[in-house]
Amino acid sequence: MNVVLNGEPTTLADGATVESALVALDLPGAGRGVAVAVDAEVVPRGQWGKTALHEGARVEILRAIQGG
């Protein structure tokens, strides 16, 4: 399936979940400091493995980076 992942067209396997998208960005098991939105709706961390993506989904994955 084709989705837009952080603004870039990306192909994921059919049945992919938010967690699959994290793996595609080399963020498996991402935890603290990561937020995910699908089609402008925030997906709670506990739902990442259960939230199936759909063709054309717009997925935004944000990582907080500390610095000064």
Side-chain angles (χ1 to χ4, degrees):
M1 102 177 58
N2 297 307
V3 300
V4 178
L5 182 56
N6 284 354
E8 297 291 328
T10 303
T11 301
L12 298 174
D14 288 341
T17 63
V18 167
E19 200 166 272
S20 303
L22 290 164
V23 171
L25 288 179
D26 201 24
L27 294 171
R32 299 173 67 157
V34 175
V36 178
V38 176
D39 296 331
E41 294 286 332
V42 173
V43 179
R45 182 182 326 277
Q47 299 296 311
W48 291 354
K50 302 173 189 170
T51 301
L53 301 177
H54 59 85
E55 180 74 23
R58 299 188 68 84
V59 182
E60 297 293 332
I61 298 174
L62 305 172
R63 290 179 60 188
I65 297 174
Q66 188 174 14

